[in-house]
Amino acid sequence: MWSNLCKSLNRLNQREGVLVSKVCFRQLHSSDVHVCPDGLYPGHIHTTAMQKALLAVGSGVAALQNPYRHDMVAVLGETTGHLALINLRDRMRNDPEGNAVLTERPRIRLSTLDLTKMASMPDGTFGREYLRFLEDNHVTPDSRADVKFVDDEELAYVMQRYREVHDLLHTLLGMPTNMLGEVAVKWFEAAQTGLPMCTLGALLGPLRLNTSRLQSLFTSLGPWALRNGWRSRCVLSIFYERRWEQSLEELRQELNIEAPPVTLSVKVKREKWRRKSNSGTADKNVLTMDNPETL
């Protein structure tokens, strides 16, 4: 088994565009693996418990080797988050607005956003500040991967919704997409969602910070993120598509989220991205830490 897993990881490192699921399928040679056999949702890939375990280990190792492999972190989240997704789904069901989200299944994509209207909104409104975040950090909501390995249609939507509201959390928390901002958001998400992927990212993310940023995280941003993640209303239970014109500060108060204790600049991240772009190592579609599924 471990020999097969090592072969899978080698293929992942050699072929950056190949999903870990395809590699594991070739290694497992299992007739139980089939795409959307029961019509759960488009793109669904059914896997056994053993196959999920192999996918979790393989994708976890690949993500640790390269935290920017958002596809690997996505697989890790889907194969380890079943219990957390049930808890999040139940919290949404018990909230009138969250239940409406589960019923109507809105999606946050460029095709569903009226960017022109958002740009015309007053400064300080949630929609205008979200658009400003997208522009300042060179982020697009269309970079979110579709769910494949969650064997429940409703739970799959909960996972998809988590991915698509990640940038909205950045806006609510006032965090840019540099490393420190991403780690702070991961601490909030770990406390808020209980997803193992978020917890792992919260634990390992600080290893990539320098001394000054570690001090800021442990003395200020970290405690603030954990405190607000634990006490705030379930962030998946908000129908954000109906809140664009609401004041950002008013929405924070409603969710019981405090304003950030410090303001982080996006200039460092921008310069880092420019250097990567000039050297040809940056992926123009998934810029450094702009994806929610990054360790």
Side-chain angles (χ1 to χ4, degrees), residues 149-201:
F149 296 105
V150 177
D151 295 331
D152 181 281
E153 188 268 342
E154 190 171 43
L155 296 183
Y157 175 75
V158 174
M159 174 61 84
Q160 192 72 47
R161 186 65 172 177
Y162 155 72
R163 292 176 179 172
E164 294 183 3
V165 305
H166 177 81
D167 289 339
L168 303 181
L169 295 186
H170 272 277
T171 304
L172 284 168
L173 298 174
M175 292 291 107
T177 59
N178 58 27
M179 184 62 72
L180 180 56
E182 284 291 349
V183 173
V185 172
K186 271 291 175 283
W187 282 36
F188 177 92
E189 290 180 337
Q192 167 78 198
T193 69
L195 287 166
M197 175 195 67
C198 296
T199 302
L200 185 62

Side-chain angles (χ1 to χ4, degrees), residues 184-258:
V185 172
K186 271 291 175 283
W187 282 36
F188 177 92
E189 290 180 337
Q192 167 78 198
T193 69
L195 287 166
M197 175 195 67
C198 296
T199 302
L200 185 62
L203 292 174
L204 298 180
L207 299 178
R208 306 178 67 85
L209 299 175
N210 60 31
T211 303
S212 62
R213 291 185 176 183
L214 274 176
Q215 182 178 5
S216 178
L217 178 68
F218 289 133
T219 62
S220 178
L221 285 176
W224 163 80
L226 289 175
R227 182 173 63 252
N228 283 274
W230 281 323
R231 75 177 192 175
S232 66
R233 180 180 170 188
C234 178
V235 294
L236 300 187
S237 293
I238 306 302
F239 215 129
Y240 294 101
E241 293 82 350
R242 299 173 180 174
R243 304 297 194 105
W244 299 132
E245 297 183 19
Q246 186 175 359
S247 162
L248 174 59
E249 290 304 318
E250 180 182 312
L251 183 55
R252 282 176 175 166
Q253 292 176 10
E254 182 180 337
L255 294 176
N256 204 21
I257 293 177
E258 301 170 356

